[in-house]
Each structure stands twice: as structure tokens, then as C-alpha cells.
Amino acid sequence: MGKRDNRVAYMNPIAMARWRGLSQSAGPTIQDYLNRPRPTWEEVKKQLENKKKGSKALAEFEEKMNENWKKELEKSREKLLSGNESLSKKRDRKKKKKKKSCRSSSSSSLSTDSSSSSPDSEDEEKKEGKKRKKKKNHSYKSSESSPCDSESESKESVKKKKKSKDETEKEKCIRNLSKKRKKTCPEDKPLSLESSSESDYEEEMQTKKKRRREEQEKGTEKAKKKKKKQYKKHSKKKKKKSDSSHKSV
């Protein structure tokens, strides 16, 4: 049995196309596109005018709609404003009623007081009212002053208070010492008493300072001892726990 021959003859595509001739295409050609019917300049102008007319009609419609919306907005604003005005009027009426009631009550109280009091008391009340007004104005001016001034005044007042307290304490101590000296030695002169009282006052102040320092030192020592005791107890507890853990293991 011999092998089958599977070879195919080569066909030149260009030669085949020439042999077939021109192929009729289904779509329009370039020449058909170039030779298409075109509108004249007058027809183009008419089309543009028609487009403009359509846009004008749309603009007129939009303007009418905007006018309607504006009218509706104005109506709603008027309603809201009228409601707010009615509320404000009601509030004003309530305030006026309250003021009238307060004035009537005050006038009634004043009438009862005036009927019982004499014309001299009325003059006194006027003077008191003037004084109150002056005080209010003075306080308002002082509040308007700078905060630095208020701070400096407060500091000065604190210093004056401290000085007055120290002076009063000194006088009390001097008096107590003078009384003790009079009891012990009444024949001494007053001048010597004053000088000795001042020196005794200074000595007493120094002794008081020493006592305070000693008390503070004692307090610190006690606190240190307590801390040491607590530390020792804590260390003993830790040792016991560690020993118990080793035994259990």
C-alpha cells in the first residue's frame, strides 16, 4: 500500500481576485457619500430660526414658573411673619400685665406706708433712693475698671488683714506677760515692763517654733518606723509563702 497524496495546489489570491472581477458591495460607497444631497444656505437659516423660536418658548415657560414660585414663597413668608408677630405681641402683653401687677402691688404697699408715715419719712425715702442710685453707679464704675486694679486691691486688703492679725496677737501676748509680771513683781516700773515684755514675747515665739520643729521631726520618725515594720511583716509573709510552696512541691 502506497502513501496517500495530501498535497494541495497553491492559488495566488491576487490572481484569483482579478479573475473573478469586481465584487458588488452591499453598503454605499465613498462616491455616494460625496454626491449626497445637501441643504442650501437659506434652508440652514430657516432651521436656525426654528431652533431659536423653540428656545424662546422654553425660556418664557421657565419665567412663568419662576414667577409662580416667587408668589408662593411671598405668601408663605407673610404667614410666618404674621405668626411670629402674633407671638411677640402675646409675649409683650404678658410682660406688660406682669409689670402692671407688680406696680399695683408696690403702689398699694407704698400707699399704706405713706398713709401711716409722715411727710418727713417721704423725704427720707427720697434721700435713701438717691444714695442707692449713687452706690449702684459707683459699683458699676468699679466693675468696669480693669481686673488688674481689683487684683491689686484684693492683695492689699489681704496684707492689711495679716498685719492687723499679727499686731493684735503681739498686743495680747504683751498684755498677758505684763499681767504676769505685775502679779510676780508689782514694784517694777512700767517702762521696764514694756521692754521685758517684748523680749519675753520674742523668746516665747522662738520656743514655739522649736517645739513645732521637734513635733514634726518626731512625726517623721514615727512614720519611718511604721514603714519599716510593715516592710518587715511583708517580707516575712513572702518567706512563709515561698517555704510552703517548696514543701508542697
Side-chain angles (χ1 to χ4, degrees):
M1 291 289 293
K3 287 184 180 180
R4 190 176 288 176
D5 191 9
N6 292 324
R7 290 179 294 175
V8 179
Y10 173 73
M11 302 295 287
N12 193 355
I14 297 165
M16 289 290 288
R18 283 176 184 170
W19 178 68
R20 283 173 189 167
L22 292 170
S23 62
Q24 292 179 359
S25 60
T29 59
I30 295 165
Q31 286 180 356
D32 294 332
Y33 178 73
L34 292 170
N35 294 323
R36 71 186 186 278
R38 295 177 184 178
T40 59
W41 182 240
E42 292 176 355
E43 289 176 353
V44 172
K45 283 181 180 179
K46 285 179 182 179
Q47 287 178 2
L48 291 168
E49 285 176 358
N50 290 324
K51 282 182 182 178
K52 284 179 181 177
K53 284 179 182 178
S55 64
K56 280 180 183 177
L58 209 156
E60 288 175 357
F61 175 72
E62 286 178 352
E63 284 178 358
K64 285 179 182 179
M65 291 292 289
N66 287 327
E67 286 176 359
N68 292 326
W69 279 109
K70 282 178 183 177
K71 287 177 182 178
E72 288 179 359
L73 285 169
E74 285 176 357
K75 286 178 182 178
S76 63
R77 279 175 187 169
E78 285 175 358
K79 285 179 183 178
L80 289 168
L81 289 168
S82 63
N84 290 324
E85 285 175 357
S86 63
L87 287 169
S88 63
K89 284 178 181 178
K90 286 179 182 178
R91 286 175 185 171
D92 292 330
R93 284 174 186 173
K94 286 180 181 178
K95 285 180 182 178
K96 285 178 181 178
K97 284 179 182 178
K98 285 181 181 178
K99 284 180 180 178
K100 284 179 181 178
S101 63
C102 292
R103 283 175 184 174
S104 62
S105 62
S106 62
S107 63
S108 63
S109 63
L110 286 167
S111 62
T112 54
D113 293 331
S114 62
S115 63
S116 62
S117 62
S118 61
D120 295 328
S121 63
E122 289 179 359
D123 295 329
E124 288 176 358
E125 285 177 357
K126 286 180 181 178
K127 287 178 182 179
E128 285 177 357
K130 287 179 181 179
K131 285 180 182 178
R132 285 174 186 171
K133 284 182 182 178
K134 285 180 181 178
K135 284 180 181 178
K136 283 181 181 179
N137 291 323
H138 185 68
S139 64
Y140 181 70
K141 287 178 183 178
S142 63
S143 65
E144 284 182 349
S145 63
S146 63
C148 296
D149 296 332
S150 62
E151 288 178 359
S152 62
E153 287 175 358
S154 63
K155 287 180 181 178
E156 287 177 357
S157 63
V158 171
K159 285 180 182 178
K160 285 178 181 178
K161 285 179 181 178
K162 285 182 180 179
K163 284 179 181 179
S164 63
K165 285 180 181 178
D166 294 331
E167 287 175 357
T168 52
E169 286 178 356
K170 282 181 181 179
E171 286 176 357
K172 285 179 182 179
C173 292
I174 289 162
R175 286 174 184 173
N176 291 323
L177 290 168
S178 63
K179 285 178 181 178
K180 288 178 182 178
R181 282 293 176 89
K182 281 178 182 179
K183 287 178 181 178
T184 53
C185 52
E187 294 177 358
D188 293 335
K189 292 179 181 179
L191 293 168
S192 62
L193 282 169
E194 288 178 358
S195 60
S196 63
S197 64
E198 288 179 357
S199 62
D200 292 331
Y201 173 72
E202 290 176 356
E203 287 177 359
E204 282 186 357
M205 291 294 284
Q206 287 177 359
T207 52
K208 283 180 181 179
K209 285 179 182 178
K210 286 179 182 179
R211 284 176 186 174
R212 285 177 186 172
R213 286 176 187 173
E214 287 176 356
E215 286 176 356
Q216 287 177 358
E217 288 175 356
K218 285 179 181 179
T220 51
E221 286 177 358
K222 285 180 181 179
K224 286 178 181 179
K225 285 178 181 178
K226 284 181 181 179
K227 284 181 181 178
K228 285 180 181 179
K229 286 179 181 178
Q230 287 177 358
Y231 181 71
K232 285 178 181 178
K233 286 179 181 179
H234 189 63
S235 61
K236 285 178 182 179
K237 285 179 181 179
K238 278 186 177 179
K239 285 179 181 178
K240 285 179 182 179
K241 284 181 182 179
S242 61
D243 293 331
S244 63
S245 63
H246 284 300
K247 287 177 182 178
S248 64
V249 171

